[in-house]
Amino acid sequence: MSSHEDHHDAHDHDAWPPEGLRRRPALRTVLLLVIGAVFGAVATLTWTVAPSGRTVTAVVAAVDPTGSAMAVSAPEDLVDTGLGLVGVLWRDGEGEWQRTISADGYPTCVQPGDVDTTVRLGLVTEPGGPDRPPVEVVAWLECLES
């Protein structure tokens, strides 16, 4: 046997992992797979349940007596739609955004008697489900200064 063969045999005996033991994957590989799986799952969930949204400038046609819902005369696609206002984020002009009752006791800066007032609305369409249709709701309302 040559010295080269003896040297090669020595490395074979020192090989890792020993025969019968499996080599574990590198921690970095496992972490990358876990992170990929988590982000993949989140992206899939977000994609399938994420609402769509839009911002519109609207003209108030009527507000119910409690200030909790309104109808608009513009834009055209919202004319026959009642819009709930309870719990929406709102602000008056350039004021602070808030979710509290206004100084007049209404849920937002829109109140009964407001007609032809221009507002900006953040509308979100909740995608619905097997037993319910999609619905467009007000997420935020901004009373614009005239």
Side-chain angles (χ1 to χ4, degrees):
M1 206 189 236
S2 73
S3 64
H4 183 280
E5 289 177 17
D6 291 338
H7 181 56
H8 181 47
D9 287 340
H11 283 290
D12 288 343
H13 294 292
D14 293 335
W16 186 258
E19 195 172 317
L21 292 179
R22 291 181 30 191
R23 184 173 181 192
R24 294 188 320 196
L27 180 59
R28 182 176 179 182
T29 303
V30 172
L31 285 175
L32 288 175
L33 289 172
V34 169
I35 290 169
V38 168
F39 279 108
V42 169
T44 301
L45 289 174
T46 303
W47 180 258
T48 58
V49 300
S52 60
R54 66 182 175 136
T55 300
V56 298
T57 300
V59 178
V60 176
V63 180
D64 81 330
T66 63
S68 61
M70 71 176 189
V72 297
S73 58
E76 187 66 33
D77 68 319
L78 294 176
V79 169
D80 292 325
T81 306
L83 301 169
L85 303 176
V86 174
V88 303
L89 187 65
W90 65 275
R91 75 176 179 176
D92 194 3
E94 295 295 319
E96 294 289 319
W97 286 101
Q98 52 194 313
R99 285 193 193 274
T100 59
I101 301 295
S102 73
D104 297 326
Y106 299 106
T108 67
C109 51
V110 174
Q111 53 190 296
D114 286 349
V115 177
D116 296 330
T117 303
T118 303
V119 295
R120 187 172 300 125
L121 304 172
L123 301 174
V124 176
T125 302
E126 192 276 324
D131 299 330
R132 57 189 168 74
V135 63
E136 192 167 50
V137 296
V138 177
W140 55 265
L141 176 139
E142 186 175 19
C143 292
L144 302 177
E145 294 177 358
S146 300

